[in-house]
Amino acid sequence: MAEQLGFLTLLPPVIAIVLAIATRQVFISLFVGIFLGYVILSGGNVWIGFLDTLQGLVDVFADAGNTRTIMFCALVGALIVFMQRSGGVNGFIEAIDRRLVKYERRKDGSSRTVVQLLAWATGTVVFVESSISVLTVGTLYRPIFDKLGLSREKLAYIADSSSAPSSILIPFNGWGAFIMTLLATEGFANPFGTMLRALGYNFYAFAALFLVPVVVLTGIEWGPMKKAERRAREGKVLNEGATPVVDESLTSVEAKEGVQPKAINMIVPIVVMVVCMPFMLAYTGWADARELLGGDAGAGAMLFQSIGSGSGSTAVLTAVSISILVSIAIYKAQGIFGIRESVDLVLKGIAGLIPLALLMLLAFAIGALCKQLETGIYVSELARGWLSPGLVPFLVFVVTCFIAFSTGTSWGTFAIMIPIAVPMAREMDANVLMAIAAVLGGGVFGDHCSPISDTTILSSLASATDHIDHVKTQLPYAGLAGGIAAALYLILGFV
């Protein structure tokens, strides 16, 4: 197929990339790319290409794993609404706030360091969803940063750097489900195990996440951030002429009137979901593990193998469903919501994440299309003559960073690049796990520092800082983390 179509196999993903960068409309760009691909497969017949495009979108649901993953991401919206409407998020914020009072009163300078580290730790712990993470950190720590003379740009940087990196490094969430399904589409028999092994090569996520405590503990600052911190110590939390983003009503749901904020209403749903995921992985993979290892294997070996062999999509869908049911039960027991109101909130949450479900639908469709076109194989054959296999992870990372930064979406970038990077690495005998990690790290780079990324915008919003000031102060740190990652891919690619 790749030899017959030649460079035409490149057009669908390339056109999708170019349109996404030019228009900032990822949905339209992916659809146009899919449509163009099916027109090419039909020999240039536009009508047949259109019909095949619709069928290709329908065929996404023929794969049960795709369907379960899309359902999971929609249901996560219900969980997010539950945690906010029940007062769980407010309760969590108040619980942390009470523990910060003693640090606010200190005059020895340690309070500034401790508060910054606590903000970073909070963002890392709330890994279930990157938006919840940045909103929690910004809302919770903004008043304290103002009191201690810490800039809001610094708060936005900490919130941003502890959200997407932790969400992808602790993948018991929508990020993990999405990535596992993309890997399953590429033929990996154990997508969960593959994802975990690849995470060890996700140098950008590690560098971005752990650069924060290094900066806080050493006090080393440079570029626009240094000026912002000097200004904040003089009592000016915002830059001259800054326009802070403060309309939180666009991204948060108010707690129900009269409800007492309780951190448990946020903690319990998250804990239930996180605990259920590995349990269901082990449950769904137990039979395969027994067949592979035999009846004499020890419990530890069986557990490890079963988790690796389990169905990631089944695990995440079951986990979020159980979490929602438990949430309904505890909220009903407290008299917060009745059954009818709970159902309404579930539907509201699902509606809020319909765009994400649509993105996943298009992502799975273009992934399947690139497989039919053998795009990755064609790219590898094209590059084999002049490109060393050791350069594959480095180039994949650089290209992915550019796409993600330009489009502002990590998930859309994953959808475009994984179907290209995986076959390319396989055909060129490069390190496939490192290539996967390069895509994931490059996608996080875009989510972390692109001025049009939703997480970057939310970080500015939650921290009540000027969005452009946040981007300017963060870019040098993100650039350093990206440079470290690129250098490691370049070095280790040849090892």
Side-chain angles (χ1 to χ4, degrees):
M1 177 68 73
E3 293 180 358
Q4 296 173 357
L5 295 177
F7 78 95
L8 292 177
T9 63
L10 289 174
L11 284 184
V14 169
I15 292 297
I17 292 169
V18 171
L19 281 177
I21 292 172
T23 66
R24 317 295 194 204
Q25 298 293 326
V26 176
F27 297 98
I28 295 174
S29 303
L30 285 172
F31 183 83
V32 170
I34 294 167
F35 170 67
L36 178 60
Y38 280 110
V39 170
I40 292 172
L41 286 173
S42 67
N45 190 313
V46 175
W47 174 244
I48 297 299
F50 175 71
L51 295 179
D52 288 346
T53 298
L54 297 180
Q55 187 59 45
L57 295 175
V58 171
D59 287 343
V60 168
F61 295 99
D63 186 304
N66 291 348
T67 305
R68 285 191 291 261
T69 304
I70 292 172
M71 289 176 62
F72 162 77
C73 286
L75 288 174
V76 164
L79 208 57
I80 292 171
V81 170
F82 269 158
M83 290 188 294
Q84 295 180 87
R85 187 66 175 162
S86 67
V89 172
N90 288 346
F92 181 78
I93 289 173
E94 290 182 5
I96 297 293
D97 194 40
R98 287 193 295 270
R99 288 161 175 77
L100 292 175
V101 172
K102 63 178 181 179
Y103 294 110
E104 291 182 59
R105 295 172 180 169
R106 291 185 179 181
K107 304 299 182 182
D108 59 359
S110 64
S111 58
R112 293 168 57 88
T113 300
V114 170
V115 166
Q116 291 178 78
L117 290 177
L118 284 174
W120 170 77
T122 302
T124 303
V125 169
V126 187
F127 59 85
V128 68
E129 213 283 319
S130 57
S131 297
I132 285 285
S133 176
V134 295
L135 288 171
T136 299
V137 172
T139 304
L140 173 59
Y141 291 93
R142 185 176 65 225
I144 304 168
F145 269 55
D146 288 352
K147 290 179 185 178
L148 295 176
L150 292 162
S151 68
R152 292 185 180 178
E153 291 94 328
K154 188 69 165 293
L155 175 60
Y157 161 64
I158 293 173
D160 216 349
S161 298
S162 59
S163 58
S166 65
S167 293
I168 204 165
L169 291 175
I170 312 174
F172 296 106
N173 47 36
W175 290 68
F178 184 56
I179 293 164
M180 279 189 284
T181 308
L182 289 176
L183 295 178
T185 302
E186 295 305 312
F188 289 98
N190 183 358
F192 179 75
T194 302
M195 178 180 64
L196 288 186
R197 291 195 299 274
L199 288 180
Y201 295 106
N202 197 337
F203 304 128
Y204 178 79
F206 282 112
L209 186 62
F210 290 107
L211 184 61
V212 175
V214 171
V215 169
V216 171
L217 291 171
T218 61
I220 297 174
E221 291 154 353
W222 65 91
M225 186 70 79
K226 186 175 183 178
K227 296 179 181 178
E229 285 295 283
R230 186 186 304 123
R231 183 204 69 228
R233 283 192 290 271
E234 295 171 355
K236 300 177 182 178
V237 295
L238 288 171
N239 202 9
E240 188 78 25
T243 305
V245 187
V246 294
D247 188 9
E248 296 182 30
S249 63
L250 296 176
T251 56
S252 61
V253 176
E254 295 293 330
K256 186 176 180 180
E257 188 175 350
V259 171
Q260 180 182 357
K262 294 181 180 179
I264 194 172
N265 288 337
M266 173 180 171
I267 294 172
V268 169
I270 292 176
V271 169
V272 168
M273 185 173 71
V274 171
V275 170
C276 282
M277 283 185 187
F279 174 81
M280 286 305 302
L281 281 170
Y283 177 80
T284 55
W286 195 264
D288 288 343
R290 182 178 294 278
E291 181 178 346
L292 183 66
L293 299 179
D296 298 331
M302 281 289 295
L303 181 62
F304 183 81
Q305 182 62 43
S306 62
I307 289 177
S309 302
S311 168
S313 59
T314 300
V316 293
L317 178 59
T318 305
V320 75
S321 300
I322 292 175
S323 182
I324 288 173
L325 293 174
V326 170
S327 300
I328 291 174
I330 63 174
Y331 300 151
K332 174 67 174 175
Q334 296 176 55
I336 300 176
F337 306 135
I339 299 299
R340 179 175 296 180
E341 188 174 3
S342 294
V343 172
D344 288 342
L345 288 174
V346 169
L347 296 176
K348 180 178 180 179
I350 292 173
L353 284 189
I354 286 298
L356 176 57
L358 178 59
L359 173 60
M360 298 185 74
L361 171 64
L362 294 171
F364 295 147
I366 199 168
L369 172 67
C370 286
K371 197 170 183 180
Q372 290 184 57
L373 291 169
E374 298 181 351
T375 304
I377 296 175
Y378 177 74
V379 171
S380 66
E381 290 296 331
L382 195 67
R384 189 183 296 275
W386 58 274
L387 179 62
S388 167
L391 283 173
V392 169
F394 170 76
L395 292 179
V396 166
F397 176 72
V398 171
V399 171
T400 305
C401 282
F402 174 73
I403 296 171
F405 183 82
S406 302
T407 61
T409 170
S410 52
W411 289 32
T413 304
F414 296 158
I416 293 171
M417 284 301 297
I418 283 182
I420 296 175
V422 171
M424 179 180 175
R426 283 172 173 164
E427 290 295 317
M428 296 192 67
D429 199 26
N431 189 321
V432 177
L433 294 177
M434 201 180 294
I436 293 170
V439 172
L440 303 183
V444 172
F445 177 88
D447 195 85
H448 181 196
C449 61
S450 172
I452 58 174
S453 162
D454 57 349
T455 308
T456 306
I457 294 169
L458 284 177
S459 298
S460 301
L461 182 152
S463 305
T465 189
D466 185 278
H467 181 54
I468 300 303
D469 286 343
H470 166 45
V471 173
K472 287 180 178 178
T473 52
Q474 178 163 266
L475 271 176
Y477 296 90
L480 174 60
I484 292 171
L488 286 172
Y489 287 125
L490 190 59
I491 295 169
L492 295 179
F494 289 98
V495 174

PDB file of all heavy atoms in Angstrom, residues 145-159:
ATOM      1  N   PHE A 145       0.301  33.192  48.402  1.00  0.00           N
ATOM      2  CA  PHE A 145       1.399  33.736  47.599  1.00  0.00           C
ATOM      3  C   PHE A 145       1.395  35.261  47.667  1.00  0.00           C
ATOM      4  O   PHE A 145       2.454  35.887  47.776  1.00  0.00           O
ATOM      5  CB  PHE A 145       1.276  33.260  46.141  1.00  0.00           C
ATOM      6  CG  PHE A 145       2.013  31.981  45.850  1.00  0.00           C
ATOM      7  CD1 PHE A 145       1.765  30.832  46.593  1.00  0.00           C
ATOM      8  CD2 PHE A 145       2.948  31.913  44.835  1.00  0.00           C
ATOM      9  CE1 PHE A 145       2.441  29.645  46.330  1.00  0.00           C
ATOM     10  CE2 PHE A 145       3.628  30.733  44.561  1.00  0.00           C
ATOM     11  CZ  PHE A 145       3.377  29.599  45.320  1.00  0.00           C
ATOM     12  N   ASP A 146       0.206  35.861  47.596  1.00  0.00           N
ATOM     13  CA  ASP A 146       0.109  37.317  47.670  1.00  0.00           C
ATOM     14  C   ASP A 146       0.632  37.835  49.014  1.00  0.00           C
ATOM     15  O   ASP A 146       1.366  38.830  49.071  1.00  0.00           O
ATOM     16  CB  ASP A 146      -1.345  37.766  47.484  1.00  0.00           C
ATOM     17  CG  ASP A 146      -1.819  37.596  46.037  1.00  0.00           C
ATOM     18  OD1 ASP A 146      -0.985  37.272  45.175  1.00  0.00           O
ATOM     19  OD2 ASP A 146      -3.025  37.790  45.783  1.00  0.00           O
ATOM     20  N   LYS A 147       0.268  37.155  50.103  1.00  0.00           N
ATOM     21  CA  LYS A 147       0.695  37.581  51.442  1.00  0.00           C
ATOM     22  C   LYS A 147       2.201  37.479  51.613  1.00  0.00           C
ATOM     23  O   LYS A 147       2.827  38.303  52.278  1.00  0.00           O
ATOM     24  CB  LYS A 147       0.000  36.732  52.513  1.00  0.00           C
ATOM     25  CG  LYS A 147      -1.484  36.995  52.662  1.00  0.00           C
ATOM     26  CD  LYS A 147      -2.062  36.081  53.733  1.00  0.00           C
ATOM     27  CE  LYS A 147      -3.574  36.225  53.824  1.00  0.00           C
ATOM     28  NZ  LYS A 147      -4.159  35.294  54.833  1.00  0.00           N
ATOM     29  N   LEU A 148       2.798  36.447  51.020  1.00  0.00           N
ATOM     30  CA  LEU A 148       4.221  36.196  51.210  1.00  0.00           C
ATOM     31  C   LEU A 148       5.103  36.908  50.193  1.00  0.00           C
ATOM     32  O   LEU A 148       6.326  36.763  50.210  1.00  0.00           O
ATOM     33  CB  LEU A 148       4.501  34.693  51.145  1.00  0.00           C
ATOM     34  CG  LEU A 148       3.870  33.845  52.256  1.00  0.00           C
ATOM     35  CD1 LEU A 148       4.145  32.366  52.024  1.00  0.00           C
ATOM     36  CD2 LEU A 148       4.397  34.271  53.625  1.00  0.00           C
ATOM     37  N   GLY A 149       4.498  37.679  49.296  1.00  0.00           N
ATOM     38  CA  GLY A 149       5.283  38.396  48.303  1.00  0.00           C
ATOM     39  C   GLY A 149       5.838  37.503  47.221  1.00  0.00           C
ATOM     40  O   GLY A 149       6.942  37.743  46.697  1.00  0.00           O
ATOM     41  N   LEU A 150       5.089  36.449  46.869  1.00  0.00           N
ATOM     42  CA  LEU A 150       5.454  35.570  45.759  1.00  0.00           C
ATOM     43  C   LEU A 150       4.593  35.943  44.554  1.00  0.00           C
ATOM     44  O   LEU A 150       3.392  36.182  44.687  1.00  0.00           O
ATOM     45  CB  LEU A 150       5.233  34.106  46.136  1.00  0.00           C
ATOM     46  CG  LEU A 150       6.172  33.547  47.212  1.00  0.00           C
ATOM     47  CD1 LEU A 150       5.596  32.263  47.808  1.00  0.00           C
ATOM     48  CD2 LEU A 150       7.549  33.281  46.631  1.00  0.00           C
ATOM     49  N   SER A 151       5.186  35.985  43.390  1.00  0.00           N
ATOM     50  CA  SER A 151       4.459  36.447  42.211  1.00  0.00           C
ATOM     51  C   SER A 151       3.403  35.440  41.780  1.00  0.00           C
ATOM     52  O   SER A 151       3.542  34.231  41.989  1.00  0.00           O
ATOM     53  CB  SER A 151       5.430  36.695  41.046  1.00  0.00           C
ATOM     54  OG  SER A 151       5.986  35.478  40.590  1.00  0.00           O
ATOM     55  N   ARG A 152       2.360  35.939  41.189  1.00  0.00           N
ATOM     56  CA  ARG A 152       1.316  35.066  40.654  1.00  0.00           C
ATOM     57  C   ARG A 152       1.821  34.299  39.433  1.00  0.00           C
ATOM     58  O   ARG A 152       1.322  33.214  39.143  1.00  0.00           O
ATOM     59  CB  ARG A 152       0.073  35.884  40.305  1.00  0.00           C
ATOM     60  CG  ARG A 152      -0.634  36.451  41.530  1.00  0.00           C
ATOM     61  CD  ARG A 152      -1.921  37.161  41.173  1.00  0.00           C
ATOM     62  NE  ARG A 152      -2.572  37.687  42.375  1.00  0.00           N
ATOM     63  CZ  ARG A 152      -3.695  38.391  42.354  1.00  0.00           C
ATOM     64  NH1 ARG A 152      -4.296  38.670  41.184  1.00  0.00           N
ATOM     65  NH2 ARG A 152      -4.222  38.836  43.472  1.00  0.00           N
ATOM     66  N   GLU A 153       2.799  34.875  38.739  1.00  0.00           N
ATOM     67  CA  GLU A 153       3.411  34.134  37.634  1.00  0.00           C
ATOM     68  C   GLU A 153       4.098  32.875  38.142  1.00  0.00           C
ATOM     69  O   GLU A 153       4.037  31.826  37.501  1.00  0.00           O
ATOM     70  CB  GLU A 153       4.434  35.018  36.907  1.00  0.00           C
ATOM     71  CG  GLU A 153       3.829  36.180  36.125  1.00  0.00           C
ATOM     72  CD  GLU A 153       3.798  37.461  36.925  1.00  0.00           C
ATOM     73  OE1 GLU A 153       3.651  37.380  38.162  1.00  0.00           O
ATOM     74  OE2 GLU A 153       3.920  38.545  36.330  1.00  0.00           O
ATOM     75  N   LYS A 154       4.729  32.968  39.313  1.00  0.00           N
ATOM     76  CA  LYS A 154       5.389  31.803  39.900  1.00  0.00           C
ATOM     77  C   LYS A 154       4.342  30.752  40.277  1.00  0.00           C
ATOM     78  O   LYS A 154       4.547  29.545  40.075  1.00  0.00           O
ATOM     79  CB  LYS A 154       6.162  32.235  41.150  1.00  0.00           C
ATOM     80  CG  LYS A 154       7.060  31.152  41.765  1.00  0.00           C
ATOM     81  CD  LYS A 154       8.245  30.846  40.865  1.00  0.00           C
ATOM     82  CE  LYS A 154       9.338  30.059  41.574  1.00  0.00           C
ATOM     83  NZ  LYS A 154      10.010  30.821  42.646  1.00  0.00           N
ATOM     84  N   LEU A 155       3.216  31.177  40.808  1.00  0.00           N
ATOM     85  CA  LEU A 155       2.140  30.247  41.156  1.00  0.00           C
ATOM     86  C   LEU A 155       1.604  29.559  39.912  1.00  0.00           C
ATOM     87  O   LEU A 155       1.378  28.341  39.906  1.00  0.00           O
ATOM     88  CB  LEU A 155       1.007  30.994  41.869  1.00  0.00           C
ATOM     89  CG  LEU A 155      -0.243  30.178  42.191  1.00  0.00           C
ATOM     90  CD1 LEU A 155       0.078  28.996  43.093  1.00  0.00           C
ATOM     91  CD2 LEU A 155      -1.305  31.076  42.849  1.00  0.00           C
ATOM     92  N   ALA A 156       1.403  30.325  38.843  1.00  0.00           N
ATOM     93  CA  ALA A 156       0.893  29.742  37.601  1.00  0.00           C
ATOM     94  C   ALA A 156       1.880  28.721  37.042  1.00  0.00           C
ATOM     95  O   ALA A 156       1.487  27.659  36.539  1.00  0.00           O
ATOM     96  CB  ALA A 156       0.637  30.842  36.573  1.00  0.00           C
ATOM     97  N   TYR A 157       3.172  29.029  37.140  1.00  0.00           N
ATOM     98  CA  TYR A 157       4.205  28.091  36.678  1.00  0.00           C
ATOM     99  C   TYR A 157       4.163  26.796  37.478  1.00  0.00           C
ATOM    100  O   TYR A 157       4.218  25.693  36.915  1.00  0.00           O
ATOM    101  CB  TYR A 157       5.582  28.750  36.786  1.00  0.00           C
ATOM    102  CG  TYR A 157       6.734  27.775  36.770  1.00  0.00           C
ATOM    103  CD1 TYR A 157       6.993  26.993  35.656  1.00  0.00           C
ATOM    104  CD2 TYR A 157       7.561  27.628  37.886  1.00  0.00           C
ATOM    105  CE1 TYR A 157       8.047  26.079  35.646  1.00  0.00           C
ATOM    106  CE2 TYR A 157       8.615  26.727  37.884  1.00  0.00           C
ATOM    107  CZ  TYR A 157       8.846  25.956  36.763  1.00  0.00           C
ATOM    108  OH  TYR A 157       9.885  25.046  36.763  1.00  0.00           O
ATOM    109  N   ILE A 158       4.069  26.907  38.802  1.00  0.00           N
ATOM    110  CA  ILE A 158       4.034  25.715  39.644  1.00  0.00           C
ATOM    111  C   ILE A 158       2.783  24.886  39.356  1.00  0.00           C
ATOM    112  O   ILE A 158       2.845  23.656  39.238  1.00  0.00           O
ATOM    113  CB  ILE A 158       4.085  26.107  41.137  1.00  0.00           C
ATOM    114  CG1 ILE A 158       5.454  26.723  41.470  1.00  0.00           C
ATOM    115  CG2 ILE A 158       3.815  24.911  42.035  1.00  0.00           C
ATOM    116  CD1 ILE A 158       5.562  27.300  42.873  1.00  0.00           C
ATOM    117  N   ALA A 159       1.637  25.552  39.224  1.00  0.00           N
ATOM    118  CA  ALA A 159       0.386  24.837  38.936  1.00  0.00           C
ATOM    119  C   ALA A 159       0.460  24.117  37.601  1.00  0.00           C
ATOM    120  O   ALA A 159       0.064  22.954  37.468  1.00  0.00           O
ATOM    121  CB  ALA A 159      -0.789  25.816  38.954  1.00  0.00           C
TER     122      ALA A 159
END
